[in-house]
Amino acid sequence: METGAQTSSQASNYGLRREVLSPMETLAQSVSTIAPTTTPAATIPLVCALAGNGTWLAYVLATAAILLVALCISRFSRYSASPGSLYTYASKILPPSLGATAAWSLLLAYIATGSSVIGGFYHYANLLLHDATGHAASTVVLALIVTVISMGIAWRDVRISARLMLWIEAVSVTLIMTVVLLVLVRHGLHLDWTQLRLRGMSGSGLRLGLVLALFSFVGFESATTLGAEARNPLKTIPRAVIQSALLAGAIFILCAYTEVLGLRTVGQDLGASQAPMRVLASVGGVPALGLLIDIGVLVSMFAGTLACITAAARVLLLMSRNGLTHGSLRTTHVRHETPSRAIAVTGIAAVAPVVVLAAGGASGLDVYGWMGSLATYGFIVTYALVSVALPSYLRDQGAYRPGVEIIPWLAFTAMLLALAGNLYPVPEGPYGKLPYVYIAYLTAGLLWYFVSRGNKKSAAAGG
């Protein structure tokens, strides 16, 4: 049995279980959406193919850009906590149409990221199955399995979701950092000057690599979707946002430097490697950990699917309450106090494109890249809108100080540059079509918004 938020207490917490998540569990939501285990295995090699010896620098610059955005988001989250996260922040200040743009963009960002990691899941699942049995399973079946299990956990209990995601990522990242440190120890105390001097790196390669490096961080702010469920949210959520950005940045920079170094010592090109962590584990003298890390990446893809469905459902819940989507999606489960219908919709929306692409023969890594790039458009637009809204918001809160607009405008500029890097030069193949997919999706969402608002105005005038 399900019901919408009807009592006064439910009205204050959106029908969700109030203040049940510890600071570590709140942090786990952001960390799991980032899925830090997947970057060393899947994203850093793609960045290296473009930036070469500048891979570490691409991640330094990406970390700096994300920290600017994180500082903006953390300032918002000191004063406001709700399931709508960045959409709520933007809509408080910006015109309604831009608030709706932020909402639909953020929803797409979480759903497309979920699709991306579902693709990654079936890639690594079949990789491991082939190693163990010599056979592969149906990609469509694997995609449906990971999605249904994630939806079930997200529907059952947000605390189970958070704790499970925390342990999954902690174990996986520990294995990766063990291998990284062993490689560095074997290399000795001297620095890799080939990388530090950026030998062979081109400016265009660094720019394109930076765009991909930014994708590694997307979702770092998703702890803000737990505004109703985190304990002491005005303190724990700002900390989680900053901590997740710093933690991810440190891991990615160190992994980027070490992977380029480690594969070069055995005469391999990281940009062309299909299993970089296995090679790195062999260089570190612990080849068995390579297989364990691949298993960790698989499980991290599952955790990422769960985290994205958890975040997207809460954004959709608040969008429904504010009239941006159908009113039935504000419904929450009486016993579990989770946004049950929104979980079902976001889970189906995440897996549907993966099923279509997988049935058409697309590889898991192709789906990972395509859907992840689509998600990046939604995140970049939302980050930019939130950043530009911050100064006015601080004025409303009486917290404005001279110079406070510097960081928001730097963050806004960084996101504009990232967007330009996505659009020019025009990517080849399917990547070149993604901007049109995003624009078509956003146009449909805004049309729904304008039609709904027009109907409400007509009804009010008629009444």
Side-chain angles (χ1 to χ4, degrees), residues 73-336:
I73 294 172
S74 67
R75 291 298 298 273
F76 269 107
S77 58
R78 291 178 193 176
Y79 301 99
S80 174
S82 78
S85 69
L86 307 192
Y87 151 50
T88 303
Y89 304 156
S91 64
K92 287 177 181 292
I93 295 298
L94 300 176
S97 58
L98 289 181
T101 298
W104 285 104
S105 295
L106 187 62
L107 181 64
L108 172 71
Y110 285 136
I111 290 175
T113 301
S115 301
S116 175
V117 291
I118 292 170
F121 178 88
Y122 80 65
H123 168 78
Y124 274 92
N126 271 333
L127 184 67
L128 292 168
L129 281 173
H130 188 270
D131 286 348
T133 67
H135 301 285
S138 164
T139 54
V140 171
V141 170
L142 289 172
L144 291 172
I145 287 174
V146 69
T147 305
V148 170
I149 293 175
S150 297
M151 290 168 62
I153 296 173
W155 169 79
R156 177 66 178 80
D157 193 334
V158 69
R159 288 175 297 181
I160 296 175
S161 301
R163 291 170 185 169
L164 181 60
M165 291 185 294
L166 179 64
W167 283 107
I168 287 171
E169 290 299 339
V171 172
S172 300
V173 170
T174 298
L175 290 174
I176 288 175
M177 296 312 296
T178 299
V179 169
V180 165
L181 293 176
L182 286 172
V183 170
L184 293 175
V185 168
R186 288 202 162 201
H187 182 67
L189 297 177
H190 53 283
L191 297 174
D192 181 12
W193 289 107
T194 300
Q195 284 193 76
L196 296 180
R197 290 171 179 161
L198 307 175
R199 186 170 299 168
M201 184 200 77
S202 67
S204 61
L206 177 63
R207 177 175 58 82
L208 294 173
L210 174 59
V211 173
L212 276 174
L214 284 171
F215 174 62
S216 295
F217 291 86
V218 296
F220 77 95
E221 80 302 322
S222 66
T224 59
T225 63
L226 302 177
E229 295 152 294
R231 295 175 198 158
N232 199 2
L234 300 184
K235 289 185 177 180
T236 58
I237 289 177
R239 290 174 185 168
V241 168
I242 297 295
Q243 288 169 351
S244 61
L246 285 171
L247 179 64
I251 291 171
F252 298 159
I253 293 168
L254 185 59
C255 285
Y257 172 86
T258 307
E259 286 183 54
V260 173
L261 168 66
L263 269 73
R264 190 171 61 243
T265 61
V266 292
Q268 294 193 29
D269 177 13
L270 174 61
S273 178
Q274 297 297 311
M277 294 312 300
R278 290 194 184 187
V279 177
L280 206 65
S282 297
V283 173
V286 283
L289 288 188
L291 175 61
L292 292 178
I293 288 172
D294 280 349
I295 295 173
V297 172
L298 173 70
V299 181
S300 181
M301 295 287 188
F302 161 70
T305 304
L306 174 57
C308 290
I309 292 174
T310 297
R314 281 149 181 78
V315 173
L316 188 58
L317 168 75
L318 196 62
M319 289 174 66
S320 175
R321 290 175 64 92
N322 292 343
L324 290 179
T325 59
H326 197 276
S328 64
L329 296 175
R330 72 184 66 183
T331 299
T332 55
H333 195 276
V334 170
R335 181 158 54 92
H336 301 313

Side-chain angles (χ1 to χ4, degrees), residues 18 117 154 216 268 348 383 410 434 451:
R18 190 168 180 80
V117 291
S216 295
Q268 294 193 29
I348 292 170
Y383 292 163
L410 285 174
L434 296 178
V451 169

